[in-house]
Amino acid sequence: MTAVLSRAPPTDAPAQHFEVRPFDAPVGAEIVGLDIAEPINAADFQRIHRAHLEHHVLVFRDQRITPAQHIDFSRRFGPLEIHVLHQFQLKDHPEILIVSNIKENGEPIGLGDAGVYWHSDISYKPKPSLGSLLHAQELPSEGGDTLFADQHLAWEALSPELQQCILPLKAEHSYLAKYEELRAKNPWRPKLSQAQIDQVAPAVQPVVRTHPQTGRKALFVSEHFTTRIVGLPPGESDALLAELFAHSVKPEFVYRHAWAPHDLVFWDNRSLMHLAAGTPDHLRRRLNRTTVVGDTPF
Ligand code: SIN
């Protein structure tokens, strides 16, 4: 189950000389010396893809790429999601969601509270995301880190009894789960139209999913989007979810990313959850995100 995606366009471009340097952390590696603005040949692409499967989050340093290059590189991993909040798409590039706390003329230019709760991107759709690529545009002088929690390690650290109990369970995920709560705190969040609500009907997902390429199991519930365990009474469902949420983000599963200028961070939503640690209100932060569509979880 380690087949490498074959969506990379054939190219006889010369090899690039880059290093994959694992972090001293439960997950993650940095890629140093690769230039995404230059052609990437099939062998280099496969190396990147394998590193992504192994380390789950890759930090490509110093990528001075345009939005079109960001999109082209992302598309090599699969089709791209168009986020339901079309208000925050980059002009002329709907594949890019702007993640930012910046307001221009009193209006937010991006989704300012993206990632304030632990989550895996797009878990509320029948085909959640394979992975997301976030490119730093403007960084605050303090704060603004992003945390990644390894859900394979979280699964493996559960007791065999709890593993057996949750393995057959399914849970509902909903984009709307915390939407109104967030809108009450952040009134700039747009009121969703009926068409937007229709795009994000709740989805039922396995509580434990199997990574389609590595075969490893991972916990797949999140405080942001998971609303209930299907078939359990509400009290039992809430108690089990609270236990799993607390377990899944223990420090021993987490890598904390402190952003450097021009970082492009590519994480695997099938293996990880992530969280935006927060930025002081008076400091500006802006990143561009593409989101690669994945498969139906099993
Ligand atoms: C996200 O959840 O995609 C945003 C994460 C971040 O802003 O750090």
Side-chain angles (χ1 to χ4, degrees):
M1 287 240 233
T2 49
V4 167
L5 286 176
S6 57
R7 291 190 180 97
T11 159
D12 53 4
Q16 294 199 40
H17 298 285
F18 64 93
E19 280 180 57
V20 180
R21 295 183 190 155
F23 291 129
D24 183 15
V27 284
E30 63 179 351
I31 306 285
V32 180
L34 182 85
D35 185 352
I36 287 170
E38 293 295 323
I40 297 173
N41 70 26
D44 284 350
F45 179 78
Q46 293 213 356
R47 222 180 124 205
I48 294 164
H49 187 66
R50 283 202 190 90
H52 192 243
L53 292 177
E54 183 178 352
H55 300 290
H56 313 312
V57 52
L58 298 179
V59 178
F60 298 86
R61 296 293 189 192
D62 201 27
Q63 298 302 321
R64 290 156 198 265
I65 50 173
T66 63
Q69 288 167 330
H70 179 174
I71 290 168
D72 284 350
F73 180 64
S74 306
R75 278 218 178 102
R76 292 185 73 165
F77 297 91
L80 301 186
E81 183 78 33
I82 305 295
H83 199 275
V84 64
L85 286 183
H86 55 76
Q87 291 89 341
F88 301 133
Q89 290 166 0
L90 183 64
K91 189 167 178 302
D92 300 330
H93 295 292
E95 302 87 351
I96 288 186
L97 173 75
I98 302 173
V99 172
S100 180
N101 64 354
I102 299 171
K103 293 202 176 58
E104 277 172 6
N105 305 317
E107 294 295 323
I109 65 163
L111 188 55
D113 57 2
V116 293
Y117 295 108
W118 284 101
H119 67 288
S120 169
D121 288 327
I122 323 290
S123 72
Y124 48 83
K125 284 196 172 176
K127 286 192 176 182
S129 167
L130 175 157
S132 306
L133 297 96
L134 197 56
H135 188 220
Q137 307 290 308
E138 187 172 349
L139 296 173
S141 53
E142 60 180 277
D145 294 355
T146 307
L147 280 68
F148 297 93
D150 185 330
Q151 297 309 291
H152 300 301
L153 294 180
W155 160 255
E156 287 156 13
L158 290 173
S159 69
E161 294 73 28
L162 191 50
Q163 284 186 338
Q164 208 180 1
C165 159
I166 66 171
L167 196 53
L169 297 180
K170 295 196 182 300
E172 184 183 77
H173 293 232
S174 171
Y175 182 68
L176 305 181
K178 294 219 187 287
Y179 198 88
E180 287 310 319
E181 181 186 317
L182 288 171
R183 218 162 83 80
K185 283 188 206 152
N186 304 304
W188 52 261
R189 253 195 186 246
K191 186 167 166 50
L192 296 175
S193 67
Q194 191 55 49
Q196 285 173 309
I197 292 171
D198 293 345
Q199 267 182 54
V200 290
V204 170
Q205 309 288 12
V207 167
V208 183
R209 70 179 296 182
T210 302
H211 194 291
Q213 290 182 285
T214 64
R216 288 182 75 192
K217 287 189 170 46
L219 270 184
F220 195 55
V221 289
S222 75
E223 63 171 350
H224 194 157
F225 297 128
T226 310
T227 50
R228 65 187 178 96
I229 306 271
V230 176
L232 287 193
E236 271 181 53
S237 168
D238 289 352
L240 179 55
L241 285 176
E243 181 179 349
L244 294 177
F245 295 162
H247 170 80
S248 60
V249 298
K250 285 183 176 161
E252 57 266 36
F253 312 141
V254 172
Y255 161 64
R256 183 178 188 118
H257 182 63
W259 289 85
H262 311 290
D263 276 352
L264 174 72
V265 175
F266 177 25
W267 66 87
D268 191 330
N269 281 306
R270 303 161 301 182
S271 299
L272 305 178
M273 287 202 292
H274 60 283
L275 175 82
T279 303
D281 284 342
H282 65 286
L283 297 175
R284 290 163 62 98
R285 180 178 188 263
R286 177 186 163 154
L287 305 99
N288 286 347
R289 190 181 102 187
T290 52
T291 312
V292 182
V293 178
D295 302 316
T296 305
F298 58 91

